[in-house]
Amino acid sequence: MTFPKGFLWGGATAANQFEGGYAEDGRGLAVPDLKTVGGVKTPRRFTATVEDGVYYPSHKAIDFYHHYKEDIKLFGEMNFNVFRMSIAWSRIFPQGDELEPNEAGLKFYDDVIDELIKNGMTPLITLSHFELPMGIVEKYNGFSDRRVIDLFVRYAKTVMTRYSSKVKYWITFNEMNFGAMAHGELTVLGMNPHDTTIYPDGAKENEKVRFQALHNALVASAKVVKLGHEINPDFMIGCMICHITSYPLTPKPEDVLKRKEFDLSFTKFVGDVQVRGVYPTYMATYLKNKDIFPVFEAGDAAILQAGTVDMYTFSYYMTVCVTTDDDAAETGGNLMGGKANPYLKASEWGWQVDPIGLEYTLIDLQDRYDIPLMVVENGLGFADELKADKTIEDDYRIDYMRDHIKAMDSAIEKGANLIGYTMWGPIDLVSAGTGEMKKRYGFIYVDMNNDGSGSLNRYKKKSFDWYKEVIASNGKNI
Ligand code: BG6
């Protein structure tokens, strides 16, 4: 195996999916706090206010807020040397636009970060992971309002300064490419205003609004990258792209062309701007031709150029096919769906498992950008069964991860400068897509059900010891 010395091995989480404590110590309401539990076929409902008798999974989640010491100890036991988490913006600025931060919120993250370091992990922090404060949604309609750029910068400056000596790795926005769909070939749930961080009300129907909000968020991201480098020149700051790797369903030139356009819009556009600092030709032309090119205010172009990222960080779970044949079989996917690949098997949630696609992706990204790469999400959501003796035999998860780790190894051999791997959900947590607990990713089982019942006890799955050994041997013993 070829994993370089010092390779970062760990797991990834998001505040709203595992912290709970949604109203504690002054935290304000954020978008996910108003989302109910759904399922494979039932979308999550977004309610205008917290309704009586409705279960909102983010409120308690798996209660990391009160279990962080115990959980971090378990991550340390697995030999993690990196841990990805997000900071909940509304813990720091409850409404999103206060002038002064909430000290209790900062203190919580002081404690978590110290605990991580004590247990041998370097923190990797996402500043915004689908958890916009509701104050920003209500007063500003999210990133459609340019004033939100400075609110985000104020928040980022506060936490980057506070943790500058303890945190080296940062990500600005999680999967901000969800709304970058140019042609609408696939069903993308993420451009719904309440699904992700960037896209305001009306964004789904109105492309102009959508791409303007995305532009404002890209400017905010670039400003924060530049600011981060001023706060500490050693910071490594990344983008976070939901990399939906795709293939033409057939070699028919129409399918090949359509797939290319999907790749250049949804999958590559946002990363291209964040890595290269300019709008790429294909998407710039698309936006101009449709007369929806976003308003660039004076200085925006220079800001994008000055705030390019240090690493290309991305999620990879599954792949889809693209075709002009509307009747081709469908498959599910990460906040979106696509056409099924007849050569691949899918999980219970319809995500098609494709480790070779990860090797393909790493080779492609290295050649395109030539900067360090990090896989910051990858994993298998499965309805694990807790047996009477409290064990969980998750060999399917071990198989999934082994195949993806082999794919990373092979890509490194072919030149990919891959510096780390944080698999998604090292401890079971709430699904972003469906709000379920039943869709489990962890090495650690949490006794918590879709309806909020459960003891919250933690149990090690079979994969726990397996991953521990993978890390101890730096990827050799898989
Ligand atoms: C990514 C998100 O899209 O996929 C995570 O960044 C999310 O927040 C993960 O949890 C897996 O998706 P799901 O819907 O299975 O939770």
Side-chain angles (χ1 to χ4, degrees):
M1 300 298 270
T2 53
F3 291 96
K5 200 166 167 275
F7 189 81
L8 297 169
W9 294 99
T13 57
N16 73 87
Q17 292 172 252
F18 90 137
E19 273 180 10
Y22 89 110
E24 285 188 53
D25 298 323
R27 181 185 177 282
L29 209 60
V31 169
D33 302 329
L34 294 167
K35 289 172 75 173
T36 64
V37 183
V40 185
K41 296 212 166 68
T42 335
R44 301 180 72 177
R45 206 158 56 83
F46 179 84
T47 62
T49 53
V50 175
E51 292 174 0
D52 283 347
V54 173
Y55 181 65
Y56 296 93
S58 76
H59 293 198
K60 187 156 51 154
I62 60 155
D63 200 28
F64 176 78
Y65 200 73
H66 299 107
H67 289 72
Y68 70 89
K69 287 196 175 161
E70 172 192 347
D71 293 343
I72 290 173
K73 192 157 174 271
L74 288 167
F75 303 147
E77 207 187 305
M78 271 188 283
N79 297 314
F80 283 20
N81 56 12
V82 63
F83 182 70
R84 176 175 174 226
M85 56 184 248
S86 69
I87 290 182
W89 183 347
S90 68
R91 270 197 206 289
I92 312 302
F93 291 95
Q95 293 297 312
D97 62 355
E98 291 87 346
L99 294 176
E100 295 302 324
N102 170 30
E103 180 55 32
L106 289 166
K107 172 78 175 60
F108 170 66
Y109 293 111
D110 281 336
D111 296 344
V112 169
I113 290 168
D114 286 347
E115 201 65 22
L116 287 170
I117 294 170
K118 200 170 97 190
N119 283 275
M121 280 159 268
T122 187
L124 162 59
I125 291 187
T126 315
L127 292 166
S128 181
H129 192 130
F130 303 168
E131 46 213 357
L132 202 61
M134 277 309 291
I136 292 200
V137 174
E138 283 159 1
K139 277 190 246 166
Y140 304 88
N141 196 14
F143 273 88
S144 63
D145 188 325
R146 271 194 77 101
R147 287 175 298 172
V148 176
I149 297 176
D150 287 337
L151 299 179
F152 182 69
V153 172
R154 181 189 300 156
Y155 153 63
K157 186 176 183 182
T158 305
V159 296
M160 283 179 147
T161 307
R162 175 93 165 204
Y163 311 123
S164 66
S165 63
K166 297 176 180 174
V167 179
K168 175 183 165 84
Y169 298 98
W170 300 87
I171 285 170
T172 54
F173 292 98
N174 189 63
E175 294 184 339
M176 67 193 295
N177 58 313
F178 268 118
M181 169 67 66
H183 302 277
E185 297 93 338
L186 306 180
T187 323
V188 176
L189 301 177
M191 66 172 79
N192 180 300
H194 298 125
D195 277 340
T196 61
T197 304
I198 316 298
Y199 302 99
D201 256 335
K204 193 164 186 174
E205 309 75 32
N206 187 332
E207 262 194 317
K208 195 173 170 63
V209 168
R210 174 151 38 97
F211 281 98
Q212 187 63 55
L214 175 60
H215 174 73
N216 295 346
L218 282 165
V219 170
S221 172
K223 277 190 156 183
V224 165
V225 172
K226 184 168 177 288
L227 173 78
H229 290 146
E230 284 158 14
I231 293 171
N232 185 342
D234 287 340
F235 278 178
M236 287 279 285
I237 310 174
C239 53
M240 192 336 193
I241 303 300
C242 178
H243 200 284
I244 302 293
T245 302
S246 55
Y247 311 117
L249 183 63
T250 73
K252 209 169 58 164
E254 287 86 344
D255 281 0
V256 176
L257 176 63
K258 189 166 177 176
R259 181 267 153 191
K260 183 72 184 168
E261 292 188 299
F262 167 70
D263 191 54
L264 288 177
S265 58
F266 181 80
T267 309
K268 293 292 187 334
F269 166 49
V270 171
D272 284 354
V273 179
Q274 291 184 290
V275 175
R276 297 169 170 161
V278 286
Y279 275 45
T281 305
Y282 173 80
M283 277 304 286
T285 311
Y286 169 85
L287 296 169
K288 281 180 193 148
N289 287 347
K290 288 194 86 177
D291 205 20
I292 54 171
F293 194 82
V295 176
F296 266 55
E297 291 205 352
D300 281 6
I303 290 166
L304 292 180
Q305 287 231 305
T308 54
V309 294
D310 306 303
M311 54 183 181
Y312 185 96
T313 14
F314 67 102
S315 61
Y316 177 93
Y317 291 90
M318 32 65 60
T319 56
V320 292
C321 287
V322 178
T323 175
T324 53
D325 174 7
D326 292 341
D327 298 330
E330 299 276 339
T331 187
N334 193 359
L335 288 174
M336 45 86 74
K339 299 295 184 189
N341 186 330
Y343 298 98
L344 300 176
K345 290 205 176 71
S347 76
E348 194 186 324
W349 279 265
W351 297 24
Q352 293 202 313
V353 177
D354 183 7
I356 293 176
L358 178 56
E359 180 175 348
Y360 169 94
T361 303
L362 288 165
I363 294 171
D364 180 41
L365 291 172
Q366 190 65 51
D367 234 52
R368 189 180 186 89
Y369 299 125
D370 212 15
I371 60 174
L373 307 173
M374 206 191 298
V375 177
V376 292
E377 287 187 31
N378 168 249
L380 179 70
F382 203 94
D384 295 325
E385 192 200 332
L386 180 68
K387 295 200 183 133
D389 64 358
K390 307 295 183 208
T391 59
I392 302 104
E393 303 282 326
D394 57 344
D395 293 278
Y396 37 84
R397 180 165 295 109
I398 296 175
D399 291 344
Y400 177 101
M401 292 194 57
R402 178 189 294 121
D403 291 346
H404 285 79
I405 292 171
K406 279 187 187 165
M408 296 192 302
D409 179 52
S410 209
I412 292 172
E413 223 170 65
K414 294 177 184 172
N417 181 11
L418 182 65
I419 61 169
Y421 176 70
T422 56
M423 57 71 68
W424 177 253
I427 182 165
D428 292 346
L429 37 64
V430 174
S431 157
T434 67
E436 294 167 290
M437 269 308 298
K438 185 183 153 200
K439 190 179 185 190
R440 298 170 181 277
Y441 286 86
F443 303 119
I444 302 160
Y445 185 95
V446 180
D447 179 19
M448 179 66 165
N449 304 310
N450 282 357
D451 61 1
S453 61
S455 65
L456 287 172
N457 286 345
R458 275 73 166 142
Y459 303 103
K460 295 176 189 172
K461 301 181 193 175
K462 184 173 176 185
S463 55
F464 185 100
D465 286 328
W466 173 81
Y467 195 49
K468 178 179 175 179
E469 178 56 27
V470 169
I471 301 179
S473 63
N474 198 25
K476 280 195 184 60
N477 301 340
I478 59 168

